[in-house]
Amino acid sequence: MTGLVLRAAEGGEGGFEAPGPASFDLPPVFSVAGVGVTKPMLQLVLGAVLVFGFLYLAARKRAMVPGRLQFAGEQAYSGVRNGVGRDIIGSRDFMPYVPYLVAMFFFILINNWFAAIPFIQFPTFSRASMAYALAGLSWLVYNAVGIRKHGFLGYLKLQCVPSGVGVALLPLLIPLEFFSNLIVRPVTLALRLFANMFAGHLLLILFAVGGEYLVLHSDNWFYPVAGVAAWIMAIAVSFLELLVQFLQAYVFVLLNATYIAGALADEH
């Protein structure tokens, strides 16, 4: 976030320039075949490596009396497996989807928590394209699950035709159900994650650069006091953001499990 702070604080004529969406447009770190590789791209790779490494090391030495790493891995795995997979999808069908849900939860969580890790300090999914790509993957998974079980036309009927509704209402409800279940879902799924990460980090930048400007670039004795207060608020918001980042990872995976359960259901 240091780079963002410096860029946001540099006003055009020496005045304060509030941070905005441009503060999230990071320049490429390097290029490959003319394609710029940005910091969020590298964070996605780093997040995947860290998730794989954590789960692999936690499961490598499976002992009856677990060590700290195995215990942490088992608790985290069990939380997603039982609290999300089994409770939402159902005890009969949930197991094949547990690896996907566990991997997705930790992948989102570590990428969200990158915002609080020194020298990274940027939530990957504060870039809309990253969040929409992840929601697109979810869309492919739960629709593929439904089509595999019910067939294409059967799944389309289950998603678009509510049961127990009179024939007269179907011309109205079928288009609404189609757009709601098959078009709007990935958009809202991505938007929720992106908006929370973007807004939270923007607030942190505002407190940081606002405090810096008040402390260093004002000649009124009161402004430095307000600047220090802004920095204290930034620290407080950082702790609150840790909770928000965890909850957003949980909600994203919870909704994925709900969509998979809906795709597997025999009734709309």
Side-chain angles (χ1 to χ4, degrees), residues 151-163:
F152 179 77
L153 294 178
Y155 176 67
L156 196 61
K157 179 183 177 183
L158 285 170
Q159 292 298 309
C160 300
V161 183
S163 58

Side-chain angles (χ1 to χ4, degrees), residues 155-177:
Y155 176 67
L156 196 61
K157 179 183 177 183
L158 285 170
Q159 292 298 309
C160 300
V161 183
S163 58
V165 175
V167 177
L169 291 177
L170 290 181
L172 175 63
L173 291 180
I174 287 177
L176 291 176
E177 292 293 314

Side-chain angles (χ1 to χ4, degrees), residues 33-104:
V35 178
V37 178
T38 62
K39 182 177 176 179
M41 294 179 182
L42 295 176
Q43 289 179 203
L44 288 176
V45 176
L46 178 61
V49 171
L50 290 176
V51 170
F52 174 80
F54 168 68
L55 295 176
Y56 174 77
L57 292 175
R60 186 179 59 172
K61 296 180 179 178
R62 287 169 289 183
M64 186 64 70
V65 179
R68 292 179 181 177
L69 187 61
Q70 181 182 341
F71 178 79
E74 287 179 351
Q75 291 300 309
Y77 171 82
S78 299
V80 178
R81 175 186 183 274
N82 300 333
V84 177
R86 187 184 63 189
D87 291 352
I88 301 298
I89 299 175
S91 57
R92 186 185 65 180
D93 299 318
F94 79 106
M95 274 308 294
Y97 308 104
V98 169
Y100 166 70
L101 296 174
V102 170
M104 175 170 284

Side-chain angles (χ1 to χ4, degrees), residues 220-235:
N220 188 316
W221 67 270
F222 177 73
Y223 288 164
V225 177
V228 172
W231 283 341
I232 294 173
M233 283 297 298
I235 295 172

